[in-house]
Amino acid sequence: MDKLFWNGLTDLGARVDNVQIFIIALMGVCFIACNAVLIYFMLKYRRKTDNDVTSTVSGNQLLEIVWTVIPAVIMLFVFWYGVTVWGDLRTPPENAMTINVTGVQWAWRFEYPDGRIEAEDLYVPKGEAIRLNMISSDVLHSFFIPAFRVKEDVVPSQYTQLWFQAEKEGSFDIFCTEYCGDNHSFMLGKVHVLGPEAWDRWVRRVPDPNSIPLTPVQRGEKLFSKWGCAGCHSIDGSPNIGPTFKSLMGRAESMSDGQNIIVDENYIMESINQPDRQIVAGYPKGQMPAFEGQLSQQDITDIIDYIKSVE
Ligand code: CUA
């Protein structure tokens, strides 16, 4: 029965579905059976003549025991069935690959055992157990992969975990399912399940030969959306949590410490790595996470090239 409704994606996902379907089917059977008996009794014992008198029934102990014990046994079975699957859902296998996940307003960051850091999208090998060790660097988030039927809160100052083992290659949605501020609904990502060859290529950071190389501006634009920059910086001049990127390069800005600067590559690099060092007047400190050590120099150069292109 375990694989009666097998969506082919994860074993546990199929078992979660089976619990749900079993409970719904059981409720359906009980509903139909109870109503059938009810209708049968209504017809059988309806008042047929004016002389019909209702007999006095004061109780039936055997009947009461039967209708208490049978549902109790069914309930215990449902509990046992659910708790068994839930237990497996909560217990990652010991050989699982652990990936650290950080939730930030408003993006996911993934840190792999080899030190590699990815934002937004999670890459995993097919057929291997993956354990996510999750924490938030700001507010409550919740990590949800609907296709795998796994979801867990991601909270500040406490690690939570979930695990899955994907059996089919493909890309599946990641959602944040805990309201976490303005751009909660843009806190999206994908989990990409890679076959052995693609995984090997990904691990060795070999670009896919089929993909056309992007220009620095295009790469920067991808990074811009990947790291959730758009959550705070507009590109059309509209006000937001941080300064707009529209015509940013070369702009004269006054700093909160009274200095006046002209925005150049070095100022943008510093603002990405250590945003609180020099804040544009009128913007509060501590709003933007420091990206120092998380982006390669190449990534920073590409992002700056993209920002330059925003006129
Ligand atoms: Cu993070 Cu909603």
Side-chain angles (χ1 to χ4, degrees):
M1 187 161 114
D2 262 6
K3 289 200 178 177
L4 190 56
F5 294 92
W6 165 241
N7 64 9
L9 301 179
T10 67
D11 210 53
L12 264 171
R15 291 176 59 201
V16 169
D17 285 1
N18 285 333
V19 173
Q20 303 268 10
I21 290 162
F22 172 76
I23 292 172
I24 290 169
L26 183 66
M27 289 195 306
V29 168
C30 293
F31 177 79
I32 290 167
C34 289
N35 279 279
V37 171
L38 189 70
I39 290 165
Y40 171 74
F41 283 172
M42 269 162 57
L43 295 174
K44 182 164 197 266
Y45 296 111
R46 74 185 189 278
R47 195 175 193 194
K48 293 175 190 111
T49 67
D50 285 348
N51 299 328
D52 277 359
V53 182
T54 308
S55 54
T56 312
V57 179
S58 61
N60 184 320
Q61 207 168 19
L62 178 68
L63 198 59
E64 285 192 24
I65 289 170
V66 167
W67 77 34
T68 308
V69 168
I70 291 177
V73 169
I74 294 174
M75 288 304 291
L76 281 173
F77 176 76
V78 168
F79 173 75
W80 169 82
Y81 186 21
V83 111
T84 312
V85 175
W86 185 77
D88 290 345
L89 205 57
R90 304 297 310 168
T91 319
E94 272 181 21
N95 61 354
M97 180 209 275
T98 296
I99 299 170
N100 293 328
V101 180
T102 311
V104 285
Q105 287 170 314
W106 291 274
W108 299 107
R109 290 179 193 172
F110 303 100
E111 189 192 19
Y112 290 79
D114 65 357
R116 182 169 178 156
I117 291 174
E118 288 284 331
E120 198 164 288
D121 284 12
L122 173 63
Y123 296 83
V124 297
K126 187 177 92 169
E128 237 188 85
I130 306 293
R131 172 178 171 266
L132 301 181
N133 178 42
M134 311 188 291
I135 197 155
S136 166
S137 67
D138 38 51
V139 299
L140 272 180
H141 302 277
S142 184
F143 192 91
F144 183 29
I145 310 174
F148 300 166
R149 314 287 191 260
V150 287
K151 176 160 80 171
E152 184 60 54
D153 280 3
V154 177
V155 299
S157 70
Q158 187 194 333
Y159 291 101
T160 55
Q161 63 170 9
L162 63 74
W163 82 277
F164 60 85
Q165 180 172 328
E167 303 293 356
K168 211 175 182 176
E169 287 166 49
S171 299
F172 309 96
D173 288 318
I174 298 170
F175 294 116
C176 177
T177 49
E178 187 73 58
Y179 181 70
C180 56
D182 281 1
N183 288 309
H184 155 71
S185 52
F186 296 105
M187 196 164 164
L188 306 168
K190 295 261 182 210
V191 48
H192 302 283
V193 181
L194 306 179
E197 227 173 84
W199 173 249
D200 191 47
R201 216 169 35 227
W202 187 83
V203 165
R204 290 183 293 126
R205 302 167 200 227
V206 180
D208 188 339
N210 300 320
S211 69
I212 310 150
L214 301 173
T215 64
V217 171
Q218 288 171 326
R219 275 205 304 269
E221 187 174 9
K222 278 189 114 175
L223 290 162
F224 174 79
S225 69
K226 182 171 161 178
W227 288 92
C229 312
C232 301
H233 300 279
S234 76
I235 55 166
D236 60 0
S238 56
N240 206 327
I241 296 163
T244 181
F245 285 169
K246 186 180 174 46
S247 314
L248 178 64
M249 188 59 72
R251 191 156 76 202
E253 293 274 30
S254 352
M255 299 288 117
S256 56
D257 60 6
Q259 273 195 66
N260 289 307
I261 63 142
I262 301 287
V263 175
D264 60 4
E265 279 99 346
N266 280 317
Y267 175 70
I268 297 176
M269 178 166 70
E270 187 193 69
S271 299
I272 293 170
N273 284 329
Q274 298 182 325
D276 283 348
R277 270 227 184 135
Q278 278 193 298
I279 291 273
V280 176
Y283 291 96
K285 282 201 174 192
Q287 283 291 307
M288 177 168 157
F291 285 89
E292 187 147 48
Q294 306 206 46
L295 294 166
S296 68
Q297 196 58 52
Q298 183 67 61
D299 286 351
I300 292 174
T301 308
D302 294 340
I303 290 173
I304 293 172
D305 270 8
Y306 168 64
I307 292 173
K308 281 191 213 165
S309 78
V310 182
E311 293 288 317

